[in-house]
Amino acid sequence: MAAAEIIRDPICGMQVDPAKDTPRFEYRGRAFYFCCEGCRSRFAADPTAYLTATDPVSGESVDRASARFLAKHAGARFYFHSEDNHRRFEADPEAFADALAPAPPPGTRYICPMCPEVEAAEPSDCPICGMALEPETPSADTGPNPELADLRRRLLIAGPLAVLVLLLEMGGMLGLPWEAWIGRTAVRWLQAIFASPVVVWVAQPIFKRGWSSIATGNLNMWTLIAIGTGAAYVFSLVALLLPWLFPPSLRGAHGPPVYFEAAAVILTLVLVGQVMELAARERTGDALRALMNLAPKTACRLRDTETGEEGGEDDVPLDAVALGDLLRVRPGEAVPLDGSVIEGRSAIDESLITGEPVPIEKAPGDPVTGGTLNGRGSFVMQVERVGSDTTLARIIAMVAQAQRSRAPIQALADRVAGYFVPAVVGVAILAFLVWLAVGPDPALAYAVVAAVSVLIIACPCALGLATPMSIMVATGRGAQAGILVRDAEALEQFAAVDALVLDKTGTLTEGRPVLTDLVLEGPDADRDLGLAAALERASEHPLAQAVIEGARARGVPIPRVGEFEAMPGRGVIGAVGRHAVAVGNVALMTRLGFDPEPWRNRLTEIESDGKTVMLLAVDDRIRGLLAVADPIRPNAAETVQALQVAGVHIVMATGDSIRTAAAVARELGIADVRAEQSPEDKRDLVAALQARGMTVAMAGDGINDAPALAAAEVGIAMGGGADVALESAGITLAGSEPATLLRAKRLADATMRNIRQNLMFAFVYNAAGVPVAAGILYPIFGAMLSPMLAAVAMSLSSVSVITNALRLRRARI
């Protein structure tokens, strides 16, 4: 092999040495080499998919197996034709955003985020609402949205041009007398020059969707935007190039008025809204990607999988692991796949499944779940489920399905536009025909002015601002109160919620066990607590820290432990100084020869309060009880009561035991309790409530809550929760106080009232202005509403909407 030659695994990009015993595959007379059998198998299944890659800088084809230059970004690998291309990419990967998005896998289906019934085999626009179709399920390697990158580039061009047009039109008001400096004709021509690129090229996607809405008969906001701005631009262009077509009364000394600034500015504002919406929608796949990233990309596989003997270890891609393989899970690593422990023991954080913050001890024979986090121990596991059969994969599928099946709410503006759009278009056509038939000379000019005035005064600027302005102000107001809102849909849905499902641990409780009860006999109670804490300090049991912290809080010295032994499922025993100490359950005490019966009534009494009770034995007898519990958060009971008074049905769902759940619910005043709930159970609970006709919100903080958060009309994540819970939620409460739930409900109610008021203002202006623009007052006053006054009326409607939306800044929540 030549010194400069590089041979790579065409799957993972790793450099390999053919001189070593590496897997090999012949294809079309060429030998390919791989780091492991897993990569070889993937290549053999579809070689053509891994032969070449595209240089993201130059667009040239690069041979993957011999590429000299390779880079990783956002979970994907990129190959380069030259060192210069590699260096340019490394300096600024986002500059090549279009190339960063990996090609979707074969068979990908595309759906509309607003109309789930629309599916296509290739990317396109929705024939109903005009939105761009998106992949049905994002992958972990999904790159930037190419549509978002395109609109951002268009906005960078439209923004400065629209500002220039606006400055030229409003110069007199701003102390810039352009007409005195260069003349009115020059100003009008400059407006046309600056506005034309915005209308003709920058806004091309908007007009494309507008035309599609007309061609398919699905009239929507795009219809109004396209017709309104298009009419303003065409009217202005005709006024500039053919001013003699207009009647003298409208022509004036300098010709008919032009509205280039209206077309350019409105289209630019629409682009701003689209960029913001796409940026928000792009995050809807973050929950799935966060789930996908829970599982490690590689696993430590024992080479001798036949006998289980350690003959060496290899880190292999997760795809290369098969059923029955033996994997070593080292301290601090994530468990790669589902299986069972065959050697070693450790405590594993299983909040993925239970939602409980307490790690679970695992010994040989115990099951382990892929994606859960190993503690300080090390163990060997045997793989029992791979691919789509794993628990993590099933949770991912549930979240994806819930996101797809959630009925998307149509914004109130769209519902109004559903009636308003065809009505406005119809009035404009009718006005044109009436003026053309009975209008004075020149009838055509009067007909055009009437039709254009109707379209301009009905331009959906105010309708478009009605919802986003309220949402913008409301989200800022919410942020001040610790309420982080993802989108308008979450607020609208939360305002309509009549059922709220609350996770227990971390939502209604602190999520951190503490020592709550200490029942110790005799004058040596402090000494006995110190002995228990000393023994627990050597333990990795999740409840041990509560005992240790409890001893420290009481100022009890904690001695050193001598001998120590953990009894999985029972407790711990050991020697502390000259004392033999044991801490554990009834089964442990019975096994050690102690009689727990004298403590049975007290133990049962404490357990009925939902607490975990441990018996403490020192030397020759049981000395007392230690009880640990997860305390209820402050104001939780008051919040639950206030929500119930507001007409919201409260349901508590938890993975904890029935006894513990019942005790917490009793203290909070919650009648509807669902205990021992798995992620599937919580999702099914949400679906059952929805089937009863309820609008459901789900509040939680654990990974296990993600499917239910996605299935509910609105998901609410508590601030200290897992990343996946936060990404699955429409509303995130930055603080951990349950009272923030009530504040969020009040904010949602206030926001929806404000949006309805805004829509009323917008509609009243348009409803009153359209007949006037059509010429209904001409027989009385002998004058028509000029397009200029129509534009003023349109602007006034926008001002009223913005002013009303700003009132939300002072809303009391």
Side-chain angles (χ1 to χ4, degrees):
M1 184 176 67
E5 185 180 359
I6 290 180
I7 298 179
R8 294 187 185 275
D9 182 326
I11 300 293
C12 65
M14 291 181 58
Q15 286 190 237
V16 292
D17 185 357
K20 297 181 179 180
D21 188 16
T22 57
R24 183 174 182 271
F25 185 80
E26 292 277 348
Y27 180 71
R28 293 181 179 176
R30 179 182 176 186
F32 293 87
Y33 300 88
F34 306 88
C35 67
C36 65
E37 281 295 335
C39 287
R40 181 188 180 281
S41 299
R42 289 178 60 188
F43 182 85
D46 186 11
T48 58
Y50 303 101
L51 291 178
T52 61
T54 300
D55 185 324
V57 177
S58 65
E60 298 173 273
S61 180
V62 183
D63 185 82
R64 292 169 64 115
S66 61
R68 291 182 52 81
F69 307 103
L70 178 145
K72 294 182 180 180
H73 179 76
R77 297 176 182 83
F78 298 93
Y79 300 80
F80 303 89
H81 187 267
S82 66
E83 185 177 5
D84 181 62
N85 288 356
H86 181 213
R87 186 166 51 249
R88 289 175 59 191
F89 181 88
E90 292 278 13
D92 186 12
E94 298 301 328
F96 307 96
D98 288 344
L100 291 181
T108 296
R109 301 290 298 175
Y110 294 85
I111 63 170
C112 174
M114 296 298 293
C115 310
E117 68 274 16
V118 176
E119 292 188 11
E122 296 180 354
S124 60
D125 290 335
C126 174
I128 297 177
C129 69
M131 293 290 182
L133 302 186
E134 300 172 350
E136 189 174 35
T137 304
S139 68
D141 294 335
T142 299
N145 186 334
E147 183 191 14
L148 177 58
D150 176 60
L151 290 185
R152 280 175 172 161
R153 282 196 299 269
R154 292 176 185 270
L155 185 58
L156 287 175
I157 298 172
L161 292 175
V163 170
L164 287 173
V165 178
L166 190 62
L167 287 175
L168 287 168
E169 177 64 25
M170 308 295 292
M173 301 180 184
L174 302 175
L176 299 172
W178 302 112
E179 295 183 9
W181 293 346
I182 60 177
R184 182 174 178 81
T185 301
V187 170
R188 290 155 64 96
W189 274 100
L190 286 175
Q191 288 184 33
I193 291 171
F194 293 143
S196 293
V198 177
V199 178
V200 175
W201 180 77
V202 173
Q204 184 183 27
I206 295 173
F207 286 105
K208 178 183 176 184
R209 291 175 180 177
W211 172 251
S212 177
S213 70
I214 296 171
T216 61
N218 296 294
L219 303 183
N220 50 43
M221 292 298 292
W222 299 111
T223 315
L224 284 178
I225 293 170
I227 294 178
T229 55
Y233 177 76
V234 172
F235 174 86
S236 302
L237 208 58
V238 173
L240 179 65
L241 300 176
L242 306 170
W244 56 85
L245 291 179
F246 296 86
S249 60
L250 292 180
R251 195 182 307 164
H254 302 286
V258 294
Y259 303 99
F260 291 114
E261 91 288 349
V265 172
I266 290 173
L267 289 171
T268 302
L269 290 175
V270 171
L271 282 176
V272 171
Q274 281 300 288
V275 168
M276 293 175 63
E277 181 179 342
L278 283 171
R281 274 215 324 271
E282 193 176 46
R283 292 195 298 270
T284 60
D286 289 350
L288 292 176
R289 285 186 283 274
L291 283 168
M292 294 171 186
N293 290 329
L294 285 174
K297 299 296 185 290
T298 60
C300 179
R301 184 173 62 185
L302 304 186
R303 290 177 185 168
D304 191 352
T305 59
E306 295 294 329
T307 64
E309 298 177 2
E310 293 191 27
E313 301 173 355
D314 288 315
D315 285 336
V316 299
L318 208 60
D319 291 346
V321 178
L323 290 174
D325 281 355
L326 301 181
L327 308 178
R328 179 174 299 283
V329 182
R330 294 169 286 223
E333 291 184 339
V335 178
L337 295 162
D338 293 1
S340 58
V341 178
I342 65 169
E343 176 186 317
R345 51 172 35 99
S346 184
I348 295 180
D349 179 358
E350 289 195 336
S351 56
L352 167 68
I353 303 302
T354 65
E356 306 302 318
V358 179
I360 305 299
E361 289 186 354
K362 298 292 182 178
D366 291 337
V368 290
T369 304
T372 55
L373 186 63
N374 183 29
R376 291 180 290 176
S378 175
F379 62 91
V380 176
M381 62 170 287
Q382 185 170 36
V383 177
E384 296 175 353
R385 284 193 293 269
V386 297
S388 60
D389 294 330
T390 64
T391 301
L392 179 59
R394 294 205 314 272
I395 292 178
I396 290 171
M398 283 190 294
V399 174
Q401 182 179 1
Q403 289 183 338
R404 292 195 304 269
S405 63
R406 176 170 28 190
I409 188 167
Q410 292 293 326
L412 292 177
D414 285 339
R415 289 202 289 269
V416 172
Y419 300 98
F420 188 63
V421 173
V424 168
V425 174
V427 170
I429 295 173
L430 180 62
F432 179 87
L433 295 176
V434 169
W435 280 101
L436 191 63
V438 302
D441 291 332
L444 178 60
Y446 278 102
V448 171
V449 168
V452 170
S453 294
V454 168
L455 291 172
I456 288 179
I457 203 170
C459 189
C461 188
L463 282 173
L465 287 173
T467 297
M469 277 304 301
S470 296
I471 294 302
M472 187 180 302
V473 178
T475 51
R477 178 70 182 88
Q480 295 174 343
I483 303 164
L484 308 179
V485 181
R486 172 170 297 199
D487 52 32
E489 180 179 346
L491 277 178
E492 182 169 352
Q493 293 282 25
F494 199 31
V497 157
D498 47 25
L500 175 60
V501 180
L502 296 172
D503 177 49
K504 178 183 74 69
T505 305
T507 302
L508 294 171
T509 65
E510 297 285 355
R512 179 176 50 84
V514 296
L515 183 63
T516 57
D517 296 78
L518 186 61
V519 184
L520 297 176
E521 285 186 338
D524 297 325
D526 284 351
R527 183 209 65 177
D528 291 344
L529 176 59
L531 295 175
L535 199 61
E536 294 288 13
R537 189 158 60 179
S539 170
E540 294 182 6
H541 194 281
L543 299 181
Q545 192 62 32
V547 177
I548 297 168
E549 293 298 331
R552 289 173 177 168
R554 291 166 173 77
V556 175
I558 303 176
R560 292 182 175 274
V561 67
E563 299 177 3
F564 172 84
E565 182 181 357
M567 311 289 288
R570 294 185 175 87
V572 291
I573 60 175
V576 182
R578 295 178 290 104
H579 301 284
V581 184
V583 180
N585 56 21
V586 171
L588 176 63
M589 297 299 145
T590 303
R591 180 175 178 178
L592 295 177
F594 297 112
D595 181 13
E597 284 304 317
W599 299 92
R600 183 76 67 176
N601 290 339
R602 185 67 173 128
L603 187 148
T604 302
E605 178 185 345
I606 297 175
E607 284 186 336
S608 66
D609 292 332
K611 300 173 182 178
T612 300
V613 183
M614 297 171 284
L615 293 158
L616 168 63
V618 179
D619 295 329
D620 58 350
R621 65 191 180 93
I622 296 176
R623 297 297 182 117
L625 305 175
L626 306 173
V628 174
D630 187 7
I632 293 175
R633 290 188 182 277
N635 302 319
E638 292 85 345
T639 299
V640 168
Q641 182 180 5
L643 288 169
Q644 289 173 335
V645 169
V648 179
H649 177 67
I650 304 296
V651 183
M652 188 178 80
T654 177
D656 215 333
S657 66
I658 295 176
R659 183 177 57 207
T660 301
V664 173
R666 186 167 57 249
E667 187 170 347
L668 292 174
I670 300 175
D672 195 345
V673 183
R674 313 297 174 91
E676 300 178 356
Q677 297 279 293
S678 67
E680 294 94 335
D681 294 332
K682 291 184 180 182
R683 179 204 59 184
D684 293 343
L685 170 61
V686 169
L689 292 171
Q690 290 169 334
R692 288 164 52 184
M694 292 183 171
T695 302
V696 183
M698 167 71 189
D701 72 333
I703 295 172
N704 69 309
D705 299 320
L709 287 170
E713 275 82 1
V714 57
I716 306 169
M718 304 303 287
D723 288 343
V724 174
L726 302 181
E727 295 296 346
S728 296
I731 298 176
T732 298
L733 306 183
S736 299
E737 290 293 327
T740 315
L741 276 169
L742 186 58
R743 291 196 289 270
K745 184 69 169 66
R746 290 170 177 165
L747 177 66
D749 292 339
T751 303
M752 293 314 301
R753 282 196 303 270
N754 193 268
I755 289 175
R756 292 187 185 98
Q757 292 164 357
N758 285 346
L759 289 171
M760 181 191 68
F761 286 134
F763 183 75
V764 165
Y765 272 105
N766 284 316
V770 166
V772 175
I776 195 172
L777 299 179
Y778 184 84
I780 302 173
F781 298 103
M784 294 182 62
L785 181 70
S786 72
M788 179 181 294
L789 293 179
V792 171
M794 179 191 67
S795 299
L796 287 176
S797 66
S798 300
V799 170
S800 65
V801 164
I802 294 172
T803 303
N804 186 57
L806 291 176
R807 293 193 308 111
L808 279 173
R809 294 187 299 181
R810 299 185 298 275
R812 298 183 62 182
I813 59 174

